[in-house]
Amino acid sequence: MESAPEATARIEPLALRVDGRERVFDIADPKLPDWIDKKALKSGGYPYDEKMPLKEYQEMQERLQIELVKLLAWMQKTGERVMVLFEGRDAAGKGGTISVLRSYMNPRIARNVALTKPTERESGQWYYQRYVEHFPTSGEFVTFDRSWYNRAGVEPVMGFCTPEQHEHFLAETPRFEKQIVRDGVRFFKFWLDIGQEMQLKRFHDRVHSPLTNWKFSPMDVAGMIRWDDYTKARDQMVERTQSDHAPWTIVRANDKRRARLAVMRHILLELPYPGRDADGIGAPDKKIFGKGTKFLKKIS
């Protein structure tokens, strides 16, 4: 099998428009360009100059993970069902956030769902059907690493669905999600938002690491080239599918540490499990955390 570095060696340097300037990015070059390296963390107007210190992050992460264990015990006792969707551009940190969130949860009742390309049979089904099959049963906590929202992002941008299918999805999804909530599922939707230079840095890091180069794919190249198209699709998706019963929670994720804590904190503060340590959980960081279109407009 061809390695990712060998594959990227055949990718011509990409002409990109970044922060209003025309740039050329050669992802095969082991040296990350200064214009990416110096701007990555602050890209997209990110409000912090430095990543959260590691010790502070680890201490807070442990506190929140202890609370998550309490949460899961409450769910087992009461039969509560929790479902959490994670969406965002490629390299936004969805998988890592899910991993930290589930680290100390019982894997028999805390499942992650990351579906591959639909089969021929699945392509002929009701669009939501293959996702519904993985919904939580009594006492289960289920995360989705990407979800039915593929039809609001990658599919229309890459031409994998028709404009009619895209429009139908945007119109029907709020009604579909209302059924989920009415049935008693505790439902969360997170969009992890990153700046353009940070995405480029993470792709570059991914390609040149022997541990992660397997993650790089032609879709990542498309993500770099079609940044503006994905932005338009994101904005339309949030505007059309934001609702009182299933709101979008936006987390600015240039710093993975702060983003992971923000996600865990939000879930813990929203669910009424007993024995909550409110002081230990802390308050939301409003610099990187907000709801729906209003927050997206604020940070754009």
Side-chain angles (χ1 to χ4, degrees):
M1 180 180 291
E2 185 178 43
S3 70
E6 290 170 344
T8 56
R10 295 187 285 102
I11 298 175
E12 295 294 326
L14 303 173
L16 306 172
R17 186 169 183 81
V18 182
D19 197 21
R21 298 186 61 180
E22 301 298 328
R23 298 287 194 178
V24 175
F25 178 43
D26 184 0
I27 198 169
D29 186 340
K31 185 179 185 306
L32 183 68
D34 287 344
W35 58 269
I36 295 177
D37 194 31
K38 292 178 180 178
K39 184 70 185 294
L41 184 63
K42 295 286 288 180
S43 61
Y46 193 71
Y48 289 101
D49 295 323
E50 302 288 342
K51 291 198 299 186
M52 174 179 275
L54 180 60
K55 184 178 180 181
E56 180 183 349
Y57 165 67
Q58 290 174 332
E59 290 175 353
M60 190 71 232
Q61 175 185 275
E62 183 175 359
R63 273 186 260 164
L64 297 179
Q65 287 172 331
I66 289 170
E67 293 297 310
L68 287 166
V69 172
K70 294 181 192 177
L71 169 67
L72 210 61
W74 166 74
M75 291 177 58
Q76 289 180 277
K77 184 176 181 180
T78 61
E80 289 279 356
R81 294 168 291 161
V82 174
M83 185 161 64
V84 189
L85 309 189
F86 286 89
E87 296 291 339
R89 299 177 193 268
D90 291 325
K94 298 178 290 298
T97 301
I98 292 169
S99 179
V100 170
L101 174 67
R102 297 177 61 249
S103 289
Y104 293 97
M105 290 182 168
N106 183 339
R108 289 189 294 273
I109 55 176
R111 297 184 287 110
N112 184 53
V113 180
L115 299 184
T116 57
K117 180 181 176 182
T119 64
E120 183 176 351
R121 175 178 174 77
E122 289 171 335
S123 296
Q125 295 174 340
W126 176 50
Y127 177 72
Y128 304 97
Q129 185 168 338
R130 74 187 192 119
Y131 298 100
V132 172
E133 292 174 359
H134 298 278
F135 278 17
T137 189
S138 177
E140 280 193 329
F141 186 106
V142 174
T143 53
F144 278 81
D145 186 347
R146 295 197 182 277
S147 66
W148 47 91
Y149 280 100
N150 281 335
R151 181 140 292 180
V154 63
E155 289 190 18
V157 170
M158 297 301 298
F160 296 157
C161 70
T162 66
E164 292 76 17
Q165 288 172 324
H166 180 214
E167 172 57 32
H168 182 75
F169 173 85
L170 294 174
E172 290 299 318
T173 293
R175 291 190 277 270
F176 169 64
E177 292 175 351
K178 190 170 226 178
Q179 292 179 324
I180 294 171
V181 175
R182 280 181 170 174
D183 198 56
V185 176
R186 307 278 187 165
F187 185 46
F188 297 86
K189 299 190 303 191
F190 288 100
W191 175 269
L192 302 186
D193 200 70
I194 56 173
Q196 190 173 9
E197 290 91 337
M198 179 55 77
Q199 186 190 54
L200 296 175
K201 179 182 185 305
R202 289 182 183 174
F203 280 151
H204 187 271
D205 291 347
R206 177 179 293 181
V207 164
H208 294 283
S209 167
L211 297 175
T212 61
N213 57 38
W214 60 271
K215 293 183 178 182
F216 191 80
S217 73
M219 292 297 292
D220 294 330
V221 177
M224 289 186 278
I225 295 172
R226 294 176 171 85
W227 175 271
D228 290 340
D229 293 334
Y230 273 105
T231 299
K232 291 175 184 176
R234 175 205 66 184
D235 292 349
Q236 185 180 30
M237 175 192 76
V238 173
E239 182 176 2
R240 294 282 301 277
T241 61
Q242 172 79 5
S243 64
D244 291 338
H245 56 271
W248 279 103
T249 299
I250 313 298
V251 179
R252 305 181 75 174
N254 280 4
D255 179 3
K256 292 180 181 180
R257 295 170 184 172
R258 287 188 173 93
R260 291 167 181 174
L261 297 181
V263 166
M264 290 189 286
R265 182 176 289 121
H266 178 62
I267 293 171
L268 291 167
L269 291 174
E270 288 292 307
L271 297 176
Y273 66 97
R276 176 193 285 117
D277 180 2
D279 292 337
I281 295 172
D285 182 350
K286 294 184 179 179
K287 291 182 179 180
I288 66 166
F289 172 95
K291 293 296 181 70
T293 301
K294 184 176 180 180
F295 189 68
L296 275 180
K297 288 180 177 178
K298 179 181 176 182
I299 67 177
S300 295

